[in-house]
Amino acid sequence: MPYDAMSDQDDDSLLAAYAAGEPSAARALTLRLGPKAFGHALRMLGDRAEAEDVAQEALLRLWRAAPGWRPGEAKVSTWLYRVVSNLCIDRMRRRRGGFADIDAVAEPQDPAPSAAAAMQQTTRGQALQAALDALPDRQKQAVVLRHIEGLSNPEIADIMDIGVRAVESLTARGRKTLEGLLAPRRDELGYDDD
Amino acid sequence: MTDDRMTEHDDLTPWFTAGRDEMGQASGDWLARMEAMALAEQPTPAVAPALGGAGATARGWLREALGQLGGWPAMAGLAAACVTGIWIGAVAPSDWTGSVASDESVSAAEPASAYDYAMLGL
């Protein structure tokens, strides 16, 4: 079955097809879930190589869980986010001692306007990543899931295995810290020009 | 996934937008490796037994024996005979066996032969 024919199937159906040995389901799920797993790991860890390792480990666990998967019990994407998050937090705790220095982010250069705009956006993204890296693990996890991945509070609560109110508290505290860290860089990164 | 999530905190919204735009996508090479891993980990689908295997040998022997006995019609007759025999053994009519065993029944059932008449001097 071609991938296009499976693109309208939900994750549960695809995982069942995967467990039944359908190769196109393996391709479809990889293309659908791989970038999500990698993207979340990258935002949590800020390192491509580590993010690839974590996302690979999470996907491997999903493939091995597929034969025993019970449809409707948990959302596949939520399950995957949870595994990625936990693996990331384990790594972040292991490498604790390193630090994120928001002032170490490079200053914007001075090339042609369009390239300058792109570079400025890149620098803003790097500044955000540095600020996120300065947050406590759980705050960072909640803020990334909420404001970068765009998940709802109940989904985040499910992923983090906490209540919705706890999610709201974590994101509120995380935002407050981010505002404090990023406000001094607004002028420097051209936000007053936008 | 909704815009209110992106706009509920105006001061940080541009930063989050930049963060979403800036963070890299998974590379094609990595995705290809993930696809290969998914296929390698995938459970093997159930496969029908190949022709010429042990199952085919057993079926060939049965078919040959059935042919030697006369095929399915002969098997049906054999099965009917077996069932009838079992039925007679299980629920035999008592008056039938009794009448065969008695002398009266025998004389009644078997008329006198030429030998009998000779012995009686008739």
Side-chain angles (χ1 to χ4, degrees), chain B residues 24-70:
Chain B
Q25 302 295 313
S27 70
D29 177 56
W30 181 80
L31 279 173
R33 280 190 282 121
M34 293 306 100
E35 183 180 323
M37 181 183 74
L39 290 167
E41 291 289 328
Q42 188 164 32
T44 311
V47 179
L51 290 175
T57 304
R59 282 196 301 276
W61 179 84
L62 282 172
R63 192 178 300 116
E64 188 178 340
L66 188 63
Q68 287 179 352
L69 288 172

Side-chain angles (χ1 to χ4, degrees), chain B residues 3 45 48:
Chain B
D3 285 338

Side-chain angles (χ1 to χ4, degrees), chain A residues 18 22 48 146-147 150 175, chain B residues 1 5 20 25 38 42:
Chain A
Y18 174 83
E22 177 61 58
R48 284 191 76 90
R146 173 83 174 154
H147 296 290
R175 283 195 309 270
Chain B
M1 222 70 73
R5 211 164 297 156
R20 277 189 294 274
Q25 302 295 313
Q42 188 164 32

Side-chain angles (χ1 to χ4, degrees), chain A residues 169-191:
Chain A
S169 171
L170 284 170
T171 51
R173 281 183 283 149
R175 283 195 309 270
K176 190 172 179 183
T177 306
L178 286 179
E179 283 167 1
L181 288 169
L182 294 169
R185 302 205 65 182
R186 287 185 63 84
D187 293 346
E188 173 193 340
L189 294 177
Y191 276 119

